[in-house]
Amino acid sequence: MKIDNDTKQFIKSRLENNAPEVEDLTPIELREMRASMAAVPSEHQVQINHINEIKIKSENRKLKLRIYSNNDNDDQPLIIFFHGGGFVMGDLESHDLVCRHLCKQTHATVIAV
């Protein structure tokens, strides 16, 4: 299988830094690792005009949603973004940059769950 250069660099970096195998981490350790990987320096942050957080109630709990919109036009496409992570890792913060890019590049409102 052919591996792209970014993936090769990622694997090389993990090996050079003796990074632990993901399957050996506890869920808490995995979440902490994912959060540190998602940290974005301020100079790389994507500016979005409107970001709102709301909560909706499901049967068992309240879900926090984040709404990204870069303009005041109500007549724009909508993307509902469900992050991956196998219900173990990831949250609104870990996928914030992806949602900002989606909003900016597609000119759509993005609702992150």
Side-chain angles (χ1 to χ4, degrees), residues 46 48 70 79 98-108:
V46 175
I48 299 297
N70 213 29
I79 298 171
V98 170
C99 292
R100 288 170 180 265
H101 276 288
L102 275 173
C103 178
K104 190 90 161 189
Q105 298 301 317
T106 64
H107 306 284

Side-chain angles (χ1 to χ4, degrees), residues 57-101:
K57 187 175 181 187
S58 71
E59 285 185 25
N60 300 323
R61 65 185 185 134
K62 290 185 179 179
L63 296 174
K64 191 161 67 169
L65 308 177
R66 189 172 290 162
I67 303 169
Y68 301 82
S69 178
N70 213 29
N71 61 52
D72 295 323
N73 181 3
D74 289 336
D75 189 27
Q76 60 187 357
L78 174 67
I79 298 171
I80 299 177
F81 181 83
F82 294 88
H83 70 79
F87 303 105
V88 176
M89 65 177 187
D91 56 20
L92 292 176
E93 296 307 321
S94 64
H95 289 76
D96 181 68
L97 185 61
V98 170
C99 292
R100 288 170 180 265
H101 276 288

Side-chain angles (χ1 to χ4, degrees), residues 13-81:
S13 174
R14 286 188 53 82
L15 292 171
E16 288 173 350
N17 293 305
N18 294 317
E21 296 295 329
V22 173
E23 61 270 16
D24 294 335
L25 299 174
T26 67
I28 292 171
E29 292 169 330
L30 189 58
R31 288 182 196 112
E32 289 172 354
M33 182 186 76
R34 179 65 183 101
S36 69
M37 290 171 59
V40 179
S42 59
E43 65 268 16
H44 295 291
Q45 192 63 264
V46 175
Q47 295 303 312
I48 299 297
N49 292 336
H50 307 285
I51 298 176
N52 298 312
E53 288 192 8
I54 64 170
K55 290 184 181 179
I56 61 171
K57 187 175 181 187
S58 71
E59 285 185 25
N60 300 323
R61 65 185 185 134
K62 290 185 179 179
L63 296 174
K64 191 161 67 169
L65 308 177
R66 189 172 290 162
I67 303 169
Y68 301 82
S69 178
N70 213 29
N71 61 52
D72 295 323
N73 181 3
D74 289 336
D75 189 27
Q76 60 187 357
L78 174 67
I79 298 171
I80 299 177
F81 181 83

